[in-house]
Each structure stands twice: as C-alpha cells, then as structure tokens.
C-alpha cells in the first residue's frame, strides 16, 4: 500500500478488520491512509483475479492462462535480447524484482526516482558514498537546528519522521523552511520561512557556504581528516593532481600550472553568486547570515535536512552536493543530532550482479533512475528497443512527467503486464493483468525497517485470508521464474536466505513483529569505517564527474525559462497528506472525501490583479508541453507571487476506479520530460512555466 511499511497490528472480529500501531516497532504508528486500509479488502473496484486482453477487451481468466500468456511473451523477448524487457515499480518488492531481473538477464529495472529523490541520491553517492533517503537521515530527536529545503514531512508519507521531529521540538529543536510555498511544515513549525524562487536552491546554498567560509564557520580538523577539501586541482582543465596541500584554502602553482584546493574552488562558486543572491533567489543576506550563524552555533547538532522529493531544477544534483558539503563543514556526520548514517543491513536474493548496461545510463551515466528513457525507447527504438514492460504497483501516468508521452508509449509497447491491486490507469493498456493480494492478505519476506537509524528487521504476515483469486508478488515472480526455466527456488528458500543474511531468530521475529539487531548508531562513519566514496572521504571535488564531462564542483546553473508577464508562473508540485503515490488510496471514498481534488494554489495579490477569485475555474496552459487543463483556484497568502502549486496524483482516468475517476486534474500533463538535470537524469519539475487565465464558462 505504501513504501514505508509502518509497523501495525491487525485484529479481525467477524467481518470487521481493524489496524492499530505495533508499539514494539520502530515505525510505530499509522496515518489516515493506513487507518483506511481495511476498506480495500472488500472494495468493489478491486481486481478480483487475473485478466487477459481478448479482442481489445480485458477479460477475467484463470492463473494458468494469465501466466501462460505472460511467459510466452517474455520468453520470446528473452530469446531476442533480454534487455528488451523493462521493469518498473515504486520501491515495494525491490529485492524480489532485482532477483527476477538478474535471472532474466535484463539490466532495465528502473524506478520512479527521476521524479522523486534522484538528485539527492546521486549527490549523496558522489559526496558521501551513501544511497537513497533512508540511507542517512537527520537525528531529529537530538537536533537543535534543522533546515528543510522544499521538504514537507507533515504532508509526506512517513509518520515516523513527524514523530521524531515532534520529539526534537519538545526538546527545543528549531526549524527553518526554504520553500516557494509556505507549506504545512513552515506554517506550524518554522521560526523562519525563506520564500525562495523555484529552481534557485543551489545559488542560495552556495551563497551560504561562501558566507560560512569567509567567516571561518567550518570544522577545519574534520575537513582536513575526512574530506578531499585540500586536494589540489588544476584550474586549467579541472583535473586532479592527486596531491594534497596543508592549507585548505590554497591557490598557487604546481609544476608550472595554476592549481587550487577543492575547498578554494568550492568557495569560488559561492563567490560567483553571492553578490546577486537577492536578485537570483529572492532570499536576503540576512537569511544567509541567520542560517550560517544558527547552523554554526548549534553544531554538530545542527543539520541541513537530506531531502526526499528533490527533482526540481536542472542543477538539483549540485544543490544536494552543496547541502551535504555544508553538513560536512559543520562536522555533523554521524554525530548525535547531526546527519546520521542509518545502520541498515542489506538483503540480496540472488548470487551475482545486475548488468550495468541499463538503458537510461546511455544518456545519463550516473542516474539512479530515468524512466523517461524507457518511453523514448518504446517510441523510437533507440538506443535499443523495449518490447515488453512489466509494471508492479505503480501508476505511470500519475507518476511520470509528460502524461501524453507516457500514454502513447503504453499504447504502443508490444507487451505490457501489470501487477496491481486496483485497475489503475496503466491497466487500461495492459495485455495481461496479474491481480495481487492486498498487504493484509499476504505473507512477505522479513524486511529491513526503512525509517530508523538503528538496525531493525520486521515481519510481514498475512492477517486475513485472501477474499478473491489473487496472489502475492513473490508467488507471481517465483512462478514466472519456474516457468521460464530461470530457477526452481521456493518462497521458503528465499526466506531462509533472508534470515541467514540478517542473522535473526525467526521465532522472536514472528512473536514480536520487529527485532533490533546489534550495532552502534553514532560516531561510526567516517571515524571507524570509511565512507563509500572512491576515496573513502567526503568528496567536495568529484573525479567521477570530471571523467564523465561534468563540472566536478557544485555550481549554479540558471533555469532556461522564467515567467514573463502577470499571468505566467512557475509551477511547483507536492504530495498530498491523504493519498499514497499510486492508485490504491485515490479510490478510497473516505480519503476522497478529505481530499477530493487538487486546486491550483495562487498568491492572493496576483489573483486580484488577474481578476481571479477563490474557487474560480481557470485554464492552465503549459509553455513547455503545450498541454492545457481546467481546474479550480485556491487563493492563498502562503505562496510567492510568481509561483503556483498543485498536488500531484489526481486526474485518474481509469473508469475502473469508480470513486477516483474525474477527481482533480493530472498535473503531469503540464510538466516536460525534456527539461532535466543532466547529471541525475531527473525531471526539473519546478522549471516549467504555466499561463493561467480565467476560464470561460
């Protein structure tokens, strides 16, 4: 239902199923979506069994037929070239899907990160050798000062993060929010809201770093010992000499060539933008001073939050590289109250390594995921064809930019198989639909708890018997493996693999629901163990970036477009509190009642100039995709004048989703897939310009 897999207990009394928090679990608690989960069991729109397309129409069938059709198509593709199969998902089932992709021979297992956390994840790999948002996190309960960049946990999807933030605030933690919109987090928790211009976060952070360096607000000992700050770089071509200097801020000559330390070059990037700070970002010099002083005075228990949904600008990778470098300047890595590496064990369900020639990495070698490249391959056959597509638990045109392109690609792919609980928009294009059991009806492999700095493992047990002719994902994939001749391993075999790797007592795990493994949380990386970077240190200068032709030090890259005139705006988007990212919760009536649509939020002063009132119907036209939508306006004082905001995920057009159908508009129609961060391959979602006019009735 949701990637975060919070710890719950399920009780059944007659036909009534109730969920409550498992207090023994490190993510103890449920949000409104989790509380509404029992409704999906008897939901009238649920997929009640597998389906195959006959004569252009999806018809109910049996599992033998559905799996037979799927195996026939996948075998044909594999015989031609296994790379011609692409698989996508939304975090859930990752380990199982990695195994299937490996056994099948396709490298093309590609997630949603191009429209989510791709840039911060690529940045954390480059600077810290870490991975996605759950690989490191601020130690909120012990933090004194936290800066959030366009992140809004109060409308996000992790109740545990909100609980930890509240615990920190109860002990005096102070919050600053940098965001074009005064989000729920900014309204309720922030002592300062910095209303930045969309797409200029890198300029703000480089200015902050410059101010801190000029005022000697950096942990010199930490940088010298645990970073490549003093690495000497040739300024002519930005290549590394491999030599280090005793002075962190050095510029001079070496063997007749001008050289400078990585830290000096980083400072220079801040010096370039600092004089134009207000013009570029809309932030003030007092904002920079305030951030610098509070971060420095509260170190190491101060932190720039590591972000999550970060696919905003063409330089978002540099934004998050800069954020991680500033954290290193504070010496807060793995310190109590700082930016802490989660001590999570890893699980692997196969022996070997996935192929590296993934289709999106032809264009973006460092990308974590750029699924738009799969659509292009379907439509153009380049750099090689994608003939089959497997979609697991994710609603693609509610997820990815340029919905028109997404729908065209889905309609043209030779074979499309979906695994889902509801008839999402994607099922309308499917050749085979494999109906999955809900999480309440299925056993799953023991898992590593995501949102905990401590090492925890939890159990995922079926609570009720399946109501319809559905199957869990592990059964579906193991059946495909067996029928394709890829493996004969059973679910029990995989379970033994997991328990052996995690070294956890099965009886204790099933009794308690969650078990903590041994291990220290603080002061481990990079002090006891090196970072996962090439050098084992914090990398301010990236040799990998330079080798691939990118600038190796974070730098500000201005956006291509800006609003021209009073009826043009930057479009920014975000997550609604009441729905998960995919099709499941959007069709639950109780949640629809709480969030029936996604009106366009517009600044009150700008609305008055345009003669637009709260609740008016407007036409919104994207200058980047050329698409137009109609929607209602919500007038507010909590957003910049040059910016409008809408929640994503609405505008479902599958008539199988009878409750969700027709609610809100699809904001992805307005977002281009061609304006991207060239390093992460992520979509620059906040650098699309829309024109808003009052609609004619």
């Amino acid at each position: 239902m949701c990637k975060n897999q919070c710890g719950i207990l399920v009780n059944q009394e007659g036909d009534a199923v109730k969920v409550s928090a498992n207090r023994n679990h490190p993510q103890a608690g449920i949000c409104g979506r989790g509380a509404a989960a029992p409704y999906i069991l008897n939901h009238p729109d649920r997929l009640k069994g597998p389906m195959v397309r006959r004569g252009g129409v999806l018809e109910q069938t049996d599992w033998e037929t559905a799996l037979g059709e799927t195996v026939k198509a996948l075998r044909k593709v594999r015989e031609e070239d296994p790379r011609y199969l692409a698989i996508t998902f939304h975090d859930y089932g990752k380990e199982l899907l990695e195994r299937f992709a490996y056994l099948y021979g396709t490298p093309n297992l590609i997630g949603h990160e191009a429209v989510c956390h791709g840039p911060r994840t690529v940045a954390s790999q480059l600077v810290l050798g870490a991975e996605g948002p759950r690989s490191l996190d601020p130690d909120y309960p012990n933090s004194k000062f936290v800066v959030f960049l366009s992140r809004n946990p109060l409308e996000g999807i992790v109740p545990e993060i909100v609980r930890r933030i509240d615990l920190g605030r109860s002990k005096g933690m102070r919050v600053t929010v940098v965001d074009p919109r005064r989000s729920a987090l900014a309204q309720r928790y922030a002592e300062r809201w910095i209303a930045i211009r969309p797409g200029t976060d890198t300029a703000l952070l480089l200015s902050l770093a410059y101010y801190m360096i000029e005022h000697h607000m950096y942990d010199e000992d930490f940088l010298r010992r645990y970073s490549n700050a003093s690495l000497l770089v040739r300024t002519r071509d930005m290549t590394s000499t491999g030599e280090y200097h005793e002075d962190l801020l050095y510029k001079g000559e070496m063997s007749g060539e001008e050289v400078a330390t990585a830290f000096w070059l980083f400072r220079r990037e801040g010096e370039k933008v600092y004089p134009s700070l207000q013009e570029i970002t809309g932030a003030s010099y007092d904002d920079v001073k305030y951030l610098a002083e509070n971060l420095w005075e509260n170190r190491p228990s101060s932190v720039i939050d590591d972000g999550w949904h970060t696919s905003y600008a063409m330089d978002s990778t540099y934004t998050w590289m800069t954020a991680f470098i500033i954290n290193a300047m504070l010496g807060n890595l793995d310190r109590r109250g700082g930016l802490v590496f989660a001590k999570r064990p890893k699980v692997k369900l196969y022996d070997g390594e996935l192929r590296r020639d993934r289709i999106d990495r032809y264009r973006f070698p460092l990308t974590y995921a750029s699924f738009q490249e799969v659509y292009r391959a379907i439509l153009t056959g380049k750099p090689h064809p994608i003939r089959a597509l497997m979609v697991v638990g994710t609603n693609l045109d509610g997820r990815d930019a340029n919905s028109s392109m997404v729908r065209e690609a889905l309609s043209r792919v030779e074979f499309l198989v979906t695994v889902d609980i509801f008839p999402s928009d994607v099922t309308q294009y499917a050749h085979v639909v494999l109906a999955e059991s809900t999480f309440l009806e299925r056993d799953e492999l023991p898992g590593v708890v995501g949102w905990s700095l401590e090492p925890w493992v939890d159990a995922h047990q079926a609570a009720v018997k399946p109501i319809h002719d559905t199957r869990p994902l592990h059964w579906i994939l193991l059946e495909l493996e067996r029928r394709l001749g890829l493996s004969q391993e059973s679910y029990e075999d995989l379970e033994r693999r997991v328990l052996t790797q995690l070294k956890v007592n099965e009886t204790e795990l099933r009794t308690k629901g969650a078990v903590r493994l041994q291990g220290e949380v603080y002061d481990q990386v990079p002090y006891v163990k090196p970072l996962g970077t090439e050098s084992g240190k914090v990398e301010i200068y990236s040799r990998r970036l330079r080798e691939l032709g990118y600038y190796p030090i974070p730098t500000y890259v201005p956006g291509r477009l800006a609003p021209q005139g009073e009826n043009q705006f930057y479009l920014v988007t975000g997550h609604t509190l009441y729905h998960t990212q995919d099709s499941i919760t959007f069709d639950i009536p109780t949640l629809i009642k709480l969030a029936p649509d996604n009106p366009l939020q517009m600044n009150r002063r700008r609305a008055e100039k345009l003669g637009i009132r709260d609740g008016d119907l407007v036409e919104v036209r994207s200058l980047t995709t050329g698409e137009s939508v109609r929607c209602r306006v919500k007038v507010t004082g909590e957003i910049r004048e040059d910016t409008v905001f809408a929640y994503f995920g609405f505008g479902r057009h599958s008539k199988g989703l009878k409750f969700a159908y027709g609610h809100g508009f699809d904001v992805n129609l307005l977002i281009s897939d061609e304006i991207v961060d060239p390093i992460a391959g992520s979509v620059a979602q906040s650098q699309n310009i829309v024109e808003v006019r009052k609609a004619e009735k």
Side-chain angles (χ1 to χ4, degrees):
M1 179 178 180
C2 174
K3 65 167 284 185
N4 297 298
Q5 302 176 339
C6 299
I8 63 169
L9 301 173
V10 182
N11 293 297
Q12 185 173 15
E13 298 175 7
D15 293 333
V17 175
K18 298 180 179 179
V19 297
S20 59
N22 177 4
R23 298 300 175 189
N24 184 58
H25 196 283
Q27 288 178 209
I30 54 174
C31 64
R33 295 159 303 211
Y39 193 93
I40 67 177
L41 282 170
N42 294 293
H43 197 295
D45 294 347
R46 262 191 74 179
L47 295 172
K48 297 173 177 61
M51 305 175 79
V52 296
R53 190 169 294 279
R54 298 278 188 250
V57 178
L58 283 172
E59 296 178 350
Q60 198 90 10
T61 190
D62 55 64
W63 280 98
E64 187 65 30
T65 301
L67 290 172
E69 292 277 332
T70 304
V71 168
K72 179 182 176 182
L74 293 185
R75 181 176 287 125
K76 179 183 176 183
V77 169
R78 189 166 187 259
E79 287 172 354
E80 185 176 3
D81 192 324
R83 296 178 304 159
Y84 294 177
L85 168 67
I87 306 170
T88 192
F89 64 109
H90 201 116
D91 293 308
Y92 158 66
K94 182 179 181 181
E95 290 81 10
L96 287 164
L97 291 167
E98 282 182 342
R99 169 191 165 86
F100 181 79
Y102 168 74
L103 293 173
Y104 187 88
T106 180
N108 295 318
L109 174 65
I110 307 173
H112 70 294
E113 288 83 5
V115 291
C116 191
H117 62 77
R120 63 81 56 219
T121 298
V122 172
S124 68
Q125 290 172 330
L126 290 169
V127 177
L128 300 176
E131 291 192 357
R134 294 187 288 186
S135 65
L136 67 163
D137 221 22
D139 181 24
Y140 302 114
N142 298 301
S143 294
K144 297 176 182 177
F145 184 74
V146 181
V147 180
F148 290 90
L149 269 71
S150 297
R151 187 178 184 184
N152 181 22
L154 294 188
E155 290 186 290
I157 57 176
V158 192
E160 173 60 18
I161 288 181
V162 179
R163 186 192 69 79
R164 284 158 50 194
I165 291 172
D166 279 342
L167 181 56
R169 291 182 68 247
S170 72
K171 297 192 289 186
M173 182 184 87
R174 293 153 51 231
V175 169
T176 288
V177 173
V178 179
D179 197 319
R181 179 179 71 115
R182 193 165 180 251
S183 64
L185 180 74
Q187 290 180 45
R188 299 179 195 176
Y189 289 175
E191 96 178 356
R192 182 174 290 214
W193 167 44
I194 301 175
I196 193 172
R197 179 172 290 111
T200 62
D201 302 68
T202 304
L204 175 65
L205 290 185
L206 285 172
S207 295
L208 171 62
Y210 172 73
Y211 182 94
M212 293 176 70
I213 293 170
E214 288 298 282
H215 292 81
H216 207 83
M217 295 178 179
Y218 55 91
D219 187 328
E220 190 167 344
D221 180 65
F222 180 92
L223 293 178
R224 195 179 301 281
R225 296 175 63 185
Y226 302 114
S227 83
N228 69 358
S230 58
L231 176 69
L232 288 171
V233 178
R234 300 178 186 92
T235 59
R236 174 179 56 83
D237 59 5
M238 294 299 287
T239 57
S240 168
T241 67
E243 302 289 332
Y244 287 78
H245 196 273
E246 59 183 16
D247 185 356
L248 290 179
L249 290 169
Y250 172 78
K251 179 172 175 281
E253 283 194 4
M254 180 179 179
S255 302
E257 286 192 283
E258 184 180 81
V259 296
T261 60
F263 201 47
W264 186 93
L265 292 167
F266 178 62
R267 173 196 169 280
R268 184 177 68 175
E269 293 303 317
E271 186 178 24
K272 289 178 184 177
V273 293
Y274 186 75
S276 304
L277 168 74
Q278 292 175 305
E279 178 185 345
I280 295 172
T281 71
S284 69
Y285 289 103
D286 184 65
D287 289 329
V288 169
K289 181 174 182 288
Y290 171 86
L291 290 172
E293 290 177 349
N294 280 282
L295 286 168
W296 184 245
E297 290 168 5
N298 290 289
R299 71 189 189 283
S301 298
S302 57
V303 60
I304 295 179
D305 179 83
D306 67 307
W308 191 351
H309 182 196
T310 56
S311 299
Y312 292 130
M314 294 177 63
D315 64 354
S316 284
T317 300
Y318 287 140
T319 297
W320 293 96
M321 287 181 69
T322 308
F324 293 131
I325 292 169
I326 293 174
N327 280 312
M329 287 167 58
L330 298 170
N332 69 7
L333 299 187
D334 239 20
R335 299 300 193 192
R336 189 176 183 86
L339 187 61
V340 177
F341 292 83
K343 309 307 184 288
R344 302 173 63 229
K346 291 187 176 181
V347 172
K348 193 175 179 183
L349 301 179
Y350 59 97
D351 303 314
E353 298 296 331
L354 281 169
R355 291 172 55 167
R356 295 185 174 273
D357 53 339
R358 223 174 66 186
I359 195 165
D360 54 339
R361 289 180 176 152
Y362 283 81
R363 183 179 176 196
F364 305 112
L366 293 176
T367 186
Y368 197 78
S370 299
F371 198 76
Q372 63 268 24
E373 296 304 294
V374 172
Y375 301 128
R376 291 196 181 95
I378 292 171
L379 296 172
T380 68
K382 298 177 181 179
H384 64 70
I386 292 294
R387 304 207 187 283
L389 181 59
M390 178 185 290
V391 180
V392 178
T394 186
N395 194 39
L396 297 184
D397 66 352
R399 182 188 88 179
D400 291 332
N402 192 354
S403 301
S404 294
M405 179 189 70
V406 174
R407 295 170 192 173
E408 183 183 0
L410 292 176
S411 68
R412 288 174 55 180
V413 69
E414 293 177 21
F415 180 74
L416 170 61
V417 55
T418 67
V419 181
D420 213 326
I421 292 167
F422 278 87
S424 73
D425 297 336
V426 181
T427 61
Q428 296 182 109
Y429 306 92
H431 300 94
V432 178
V433 177
L434 304 177
E436 191 182 14
S437 305
T438 70
F439 76 92
L440 296 167
E441 301 167 298
R442 66 187 183 227
D443 283 325
E444 295 178 21
L445 296 172
V448 177
V449 175
W451 295 103
S452 174
L453 297 177
E454 300 174 334
W456 281 80
V457 177
D458 61 0
H460 301 237
Q461 299 161 298
V464 299
K465 293 181 179 179
I467 294 173
H468 302 295
D469 187 19
T470 60
R471 298 289 189 274
L473 178 63
H474 64 76
W475 184 91
I476 293 170
L477 293 177
L478 288 173
E479 274 296 302
L480 292 176
E481 290 175 15
R482 183 177 67 81
R483 292 169 184 241
L484 286 165
L486 305 178
S487 172
Q488 296 297 317
E489 283 190 282
S490 67
Y491 177 76
E492 289 72 26
D493 293 329
L494 298 189
E495 192 172 46
R496 278 193 293 273
R497 274 183 183 251
V498 174
L499 293 171
T500 300
Q501 290 176 49
L502 296 176
K503 300 177 181 178
V504 64
N505 182 284
E506 182 178 358
T507 303
E508 183 185 10
L509 178 62
R510 296 197 180 281
T511 302
K512 294 181 177 179
V515 175
R516 189 194 188 283
L517 306 181
Q518 293 184 340
E520 297 295 325
V521 174
Y522 303 113
D523 305 326
Q524 299 301 299
V525 183
Y527 318 102
V528 177
K529 303 174 184 177
L531 290 168
T533 57
E534 183 181 82
S535 65
K537 299 179 178 183
V538 176
E539 297 201 349
I540 296 171
Y541 169 91
S542 172
R543 187 181 67 85
R544 180 77 171 133
L545 283 179
R546 175 65 185 81
E547 285 180 344
L548 292 170
Y550 302 111
Y551 196 69
I553 302 278
T555 186
Y556 169 59
V557 180
R560 294 178 184 172
L561 302 172
Q564 305 291 327
E566 291 185 343
N567 72 330
Q568 291 187 13
F569 302 85
Y570 292 105
L571 172 66
V572 298
T573 63
H575 191 278
T576 174
L577 173 64
Y578 299 106
H579 296 291
T580 54
Q581 304 94 324
D582 302 306
S583 61
I584 296 175
T585 59
F586 279 94
D587 206 42
I588 296 178
T590 53
L591 297 178
I592 291 171
K593 191 174 291 186
L594 292 169
D597 57 15
N598 55 338
L600 191 74
Q601 297 182 24
M602 179 184 288
N603 179 275
R604 181 172 288 108
R605 285 193 293 270
R606 184 64 67 88
E608 289 174 355
K609 291 179 182 178
L610 296 176
I612 294 173
R613 296 183 179 181
D614 191 60
D616 277 354
L617 184 67
V618 295
E619 182 171 334
V620 186
R621 184 175 71 90
S622 170
L623 302 187
T624 52
T625 69
E627 298 280 358
S628 296
V629 300
R630 285 191 166 204
C631 63
R632 298 289 173 181
V633 164
K634 181 179 180 181
V635 174
T636 175
E638 312 294 351
I639 193 168
R640 285 177 56 95
E641 281 199 46
D642 60 359
T643 305
V644 290
F645 171 90
Y647 293 111
F648 56 73
F650 289 84
R652 305 282 51 82
H653 60 273
S654 169
K655 292 184 178 179
L657 301 173
K658 297 183 184 67
F659 296 99
Y661 183 77
H663 282 269
F665 73 97
D666 179 7
V667 73
N668 287 333
L669 279 169
L670 308 174
I671 297 175
S672 173
D673 63 295
E674 296 181 352
I675 305 175
V676 296
D677 177 330
I679 299 175
S682 57
V683 178
Q685 295 174 88
S686 294
Q687 293 189 316
N688 289 262
I689 308 301
V690 295
E691 202 169 65
V692 182
R693 298 183 186 278
K694 194 170 180 178
E696 296 181 5
K697 295 183 180 179

